[in-house]
Amino acid sequence: MTSGEPVGDLLRSLTPRVLGALVRRHGDFARCEDAVQEALIDAAQAWSRDGVPEHPLGWLVTVAGRRYVDLVRSDAARQRREQAVFDAVPRDELLAPPPDAEPARDDLLELLFLCCHPALTAPAQMALTLRAVAGLTTAEIAAAFLVPDKTMGQRISRAKQRLLEAGARFELPADRDRALTVVLHVLYLLFNEGYSASAGPRLHRPDLTAQALRLTRQLHERLPDSGETAGLLALMLLTEARAAARTGPDGELVPLADQDRSRWDRALIAEGTDLVTRSLAAHPAGPYQVQAAIAAVHCEAATAEETDWPQVLALYDVLERLAPGAVTALNRAVALGEVHGPRAALDVVAGLERGALAGHHRLLAVRGHLLERAGDRAAASEAFRQAARLAGTVPEQRFLLLRAARCASAEDFSATT
C-alpha cells in the first residue's frame, strides 16, 4: 500500500484479483463472491486495527479460501451432493498457498469473460461484470443502465444463479468474438462511470478509469487484430488525456470549451490518435473507432473556437448509422447546434424528450445550453435548474446551478436596460 492510501481504497483495488483467484480455483462464482465479501470485512477490521500485512493480496486470498471452505461445509441443502467430493480434497488444497509460493497471476480477463458467459442475457452480463470486476455498487450500476436499484439487484442475483446452473467454467471462451461485443461495452461503461461518476461528491473516479484502461490494454494485447478493441482503447486514451483539465482547484466542473488545454496529456493524445488512425486504416469502421475519431478531432483543436465542428457532425452522422441511440442523438445535437445553429438542435432535443433520456439531467443540460445560445435565457435558467436537481454528483449540481444563475442574471440585466 502506498503511503497514506486508505484501507478501503486498497481493498477495492484488490477485490477483483481475489475473486478471480478463488473462481479459478473453485469455479463456484456465487460462493466465491460471498467468501470474498466476508474476507473483506475481516480485512477492514484487522488492517485498521493492526496495520496492512506485508502481502495483502495473499492475506485476502487465504482468508477468502477459508471462508469458502466454511460456506461449502455449512450449506446443508447441498451437503449430501457435495460432501463426497469435498471430503476427498485435502483441506490444504482448498486454501491459498503462501503469497510467495506461486508466481503472481492476473485473472481479471478470465473473470471478465466468465461474467459475459453466453448463458446470460446481455444486460445481465454487463451488470455482473461491473459488480464483480469493477466493484461498483448496485446503485452505481443501476444508474449506468437507467433502471431502479431493486431491478438491478435482482438482475445480478439471477445472473450468479444462472452461471451456477450453466456450469460456467473459469477460462477464456473458444468463440471470443461472440462475447467480445459485450466485454467491450462493459469496459466502456466502466470507464464512463469513472470519468463521469453517476453519484457522489467527486466527478472523476480515477481508480475506475485506470482499471478500465488496464483491462482494455490487456485485451488489445491479446486481440491485436480487433479493430473495435483498438478503437475503444484509443477512445479511453483520448478522453482520459483531458481529465486533469475537467475540474478546477475546488473540484468544480470545467466544460470542454473552457478547459486549459495546456493541461491536456499530449502523450496520451498522441498514443490515442495514432491508435485510431491505424485501426481505421486496417479495419472497417465500428462505433468505438468513430467515437475515438470524434475525440481526436476535439484534441487536435488548439482552442475551442478552432474545433472542426463540421467534421465532428459528419462523424456523428456515421455513428448514428452504426449505433443509433438516444445518447448518440443527444451528442449529435450539440454538434448540430454548432454547425447549423441552436434552434435546429433544439428540434432534435425536443424529440428525445419522449424517449429513454426523458427527464435525464444530461438532456436537460444540453437543452439549457442550446436555449442560452439561442438567447432564451429565462428558459435556459429553468432547464439548468431542473438538470441540477437530477444530477448525481455534487460538481455537476454546482456547475448547473451556476449556469442557471448566470442565465437568470443576464435575463434580469436585459430586462432593465
Side-chain angles (χ1 to χ4, degrees), residues 175-229:
D175 184 7
R176 298 182 191 179
D177 290 342
R178 185 176 181 179
L180 184 59
T181 299
V182 176
V183 169
L184 293 176
H185 193 187
V186 167
L187 293 172
Y188 177 76
L189 288 176
L190 173 57
F191 182 86
N192 282 349
E193 178 60 33
Y195 195 74
S196 295
S198 57
R202 296 181 297 168
L203 181 69
H204 188 210
R205 295 176 59 180
D207 57 326
L208 297 185
T209 55
Q211 188 178 59
L213 269 165
R214 182 171 65 84
L215 285 172
T216 308
R217 280 191 186 278
Q218 290 182 348
L219 196 60
H220 177 56
E221 289 171 2
R222 295 198 186 189
L223 303 174
D225 294 329
S226 169
E228 277 290 77
T229 301

Side-chain angles (χ1 to χ4, degrees), residues 63-410:
V63 173
R66 290 175 181 151
R67 295 293 174 265
Y68 176 83
V69 172
D70 294 339
L71 287 172
V72 172
R73 285 181 168 170
S74 65
D75 191 348
R78 293 187 173 88
Q79 189 171 8
R80 290 183 180 177
R81 189 183 67 192
E82 297 173 345
Q83 197 66 47
V85 175
F86 181 76
D87 289 343
V89 180
R91 184 179 175 86
D92 289 346
E93 292 186 13
L94 293 170
L95 302 180
D100 57 351
E102 61 179 16
R105 174 170 173 172
D106 191 340
D107 296 303
L108 284 181
L109 282 181
E110 284 77 3
L111 183 60
L112 191 61
F113 276 102
L114 175 66
C115 292
C116 297
H117 192 278
L120 303 179
T121 64
Q125 291 169 329
M126 290 184 279
L128 187 59
T129 303
L130 290 172
R131 180 73 181 88
V133 180
L136 269 64
T137 66
T138 301
E140 290 169 334
I141 304 170
F145 283 99
L146 306 178
V147 300
D149 293 1
K150 183 178 179 180
T151 299
M152 185 53 62
Q154 293 172 341
R155 184 179 296 173
I156 293 171
S157 295
R158 287 195 298 267
K160 290 191 287 187
Q161 181 60 32
R162 184 70 187 111
L163 281 181
L164 181 63
E165 294 170 352
R169 301 182 63 182
F170 189 77
E171 59 187 12
L172 292 175
D175 184 7
R176 298 182 191 179
D177 290 342
R178 185 176 181 179
L180 184 59
T181 299
V182 176
V183 169
L184 293 176
H185 193 187
V186 167
L187 293 172
Y188 177 76
L189 288 176
L190 173 57
F191 182 86
N192 282 349
E193 178 60 33
Y195 195 74
S196 295
S198 57
R202 296 181 297 168
L203 181 69
H204 188 210
R205 295 176 59 180
D207 57 326
L208 297 185
T209 55
Q211 188 178 59
L213 269 165
R214 182 171 65 84
L215 285 172
T216 308
R217 280 191 186 278
Q218 290 182 348
L219 196 60
H220 177 56
E221 289 171 2
R222 295 198 186 189
L223 303 174
D225 294 329
S226 169
E228 277 290 77
T229 301
L232 179 57
L233 178 56
L235 175 61
M236 290 181 181
L237 292 167
L238 291 162
T239 305
E240 184 66 11
R242 305 194 300 261
R246 288 184 73 228
T247 54
D250 297 322
E252 68 273 19
L253 172 63
V254 180
L256 179 62
D258 298 334
Q259 288 176 14
D260 178 0
R261 302 190 175 209
S262 67
R263 299 182 64 197
W264 288 2
D265 189 323
R266 292 296 161 185
L268 290 183
I269 291 173
E271 183 183 0
T273 301
D274 178 67
L275 188 59
V276 69
T277 300
R278 288 188 287 107
S279 177
L280 285 170
H283 306 281
Y288 295 119
Q289 292 159 285
V290 175
Q291 289 180 71
I294 293 170
V297 173
H298 284 294
C299 289
E300 288 169 354
T303 64
E305 293 73 22
E306 296 177 59
T307 302
D308 188 347
W309 283 108
Q311 184 180 3
V312 171
L313 180 59
L315 287 168
Y316 270 118
D317 289 340
V318 175
L319 184 59
E320 270 207 315
R321 291 195 295 271
L322 293 173
V327 174
T328 298
L330 183 63
N331 291 334
R332 179 184 175 276
V334 175
L336 182 69
E338 295 291 338
V339 176
H340 297 296
R343 291 297 176 187
L346 280 166
D347 290 340
V348 175
V349 171
L352 296 175
E353 290 173 350
R354 297 183 295 273
L357 289 177
H360 196 277
H361 80 280
R362 296 195 187 282
L363 184 143
L364 289 165
V366 169
R367 187 170 185 272
H369 167 72
L370 294 170
L371 286 167
E372 183 180 13
R373 289 195 60 222
D376 191 345
R377 296 184 180 87
S381 179
E382 179 58 26
F384 284 131
R385 289 185 186 280
Q386 292 179 21
R389 286 195 291 269
L390 296 169
T393 65
V394 173
E396 284 181 303
Q397 293 166 3
R398 291 174 176 169
F399 170 75
L400 291 166
L401 287 173
L402 285 172
R403 291 287 297 271
R406 185 178 73 182
C407 289
S409 297

